[in-house]
Amino acid sequence: MKYGLLIEFGAKCSNFGDYVQSIAIEYLYTKIMKIPQEEIVHITASELSTYEGEALILPYSYVMHLLVFPEYKKVKLSPNINLVFLGGSFSFTQFGNQYPIDRVLDRNNGWIDMFRKFAPVGCRDAYTYSVLQKLSIPAYLGGCITNILPQRPNFQERHKKKILLVDLTTDIFPYIPSEILENATVMTQYEENGKLTVEENYQRAKERYLFYSDADLIISSRYHMVTPCNAMGVPCIFVNRNINYYQRDIRLDTLNPTIQFCSTDHAEEINWHPVPVQFDRLKEKVTELAAKCVKDAFLRYSQ
């Protein structure tokens, strides 16, 4: 039995927010659990259904639809992969009525059997937790695994020289103070993969978050921008996006409370100069729970 790590998500254009969850799991493996690199197996999204190597424990902290092949139909998971749900989410069902939760969880699709097999199911948000509770599937609310990422050295030092505005919609810009805009770099979490190999692309994602980690301030509309960067000690402001199809973001139930959440509806209340905030006890609890779940699953499936 070895330890799996998902490092590719089946898209030609990478959303680095997907990869940071794997970066956090790799940190859990190597720095917290002291698992040697040779015991960690990198796999891709397509290999979730086709993997034929040595049996794996695979921590899962992503949107659930990656487990469906073809997409949004029936669950198809390699028999050599044993899932450990740390923070799965049904957030993909919130975009309009194309993938309603009732259709996704039709008893003929394999979802319910899979959840029962690998229970308890760690959930990233309260919505996903409530869905599983109604199905009498053992579950718990774990939040986002990226909360375990370590704070950078000297995280309280700030010079206001590296301010990042990431995937903001234009409606927020008139409210941002000029002294912030003058020193800011506008960025996006999406980039084409081009000719990068799977391993090169994963390394690019790791380098991107290393770049983020020494920012003085990050303002973003991306959950997996502010959550991991806040964990690393970067003051973050999360701006809710005003997009017609973008309904209530179910993940916000477990947005780290140390992150400032705002919108243009309450722009006058925004603190544009937040300071780094420690949340050591919460980080410790999330880390301990994740490590215990992986260890317990390893023992369970090794027998």
Side-chain angles (χ1 to χ4, degrees), residues 20 33 40 59 90 117 133 210 219 225 228 259 285 296:
V20 73
M33 300 179 67
I40 301 171
F90 287 127
K117 178 179 179 180
Q133 273 199 316
L210 182 62
I219 307 172
M225 181 72 195
I259 299 171
K285 286 183 176 180
D296 288 351

Side-chain angles (χ1 to χ4, degrees), residues 18 54 62 123 131 155 205 248 265-266 272 291:
D18 294 331
E54 184 174 346
Y62 315 93
C123 305
V131 168
F155 75 97
R248 177 179 172 273
D265 294 335
H266 303 92
W272 294 106

Side-chain angles (χ1 to χ4, degrees), residues 179-190:
E179 67 270 18
I180 290 179
L181 288 175
E182 289 169 359
N183 292 287
T185 300
V186 177
M187 301 185 66
T188 180
Q189 277 281 71
Y190 284 86

Side-chain angles (χ1 to χ4, degrees), residues 207-239:
E207 291 170 356
R208 174 63 67 92
Y209 278 92
L210 182 62
F211 171 79
Y212 292 154
S213 70
D214 68 346
D216 299 300
L217 173 65
I218 290 176
I219 307 172
S220 179
S221 66
R222 298 288 178 189
Y223 183 98
H224 283 116
M225 181 72 195
V226 297
T227 299
C229 292
N230 178 67
M232 293 187 288
V234 180
C236 294
I237 301 173
F238 180 75
V239 181

Side-chain angles (χ1 to χ4, degrees), residues 48 63 79 82 142 176 179 188 202 226 237 248 252 280:
L48 288 170
V63 287
N82 301 289
I176 302 177
E179 67 270 18
T188 180
Y202 181 57
V226 297
I237 301 173
R248 177 179 172 273
L252 297 182
D280 292 349

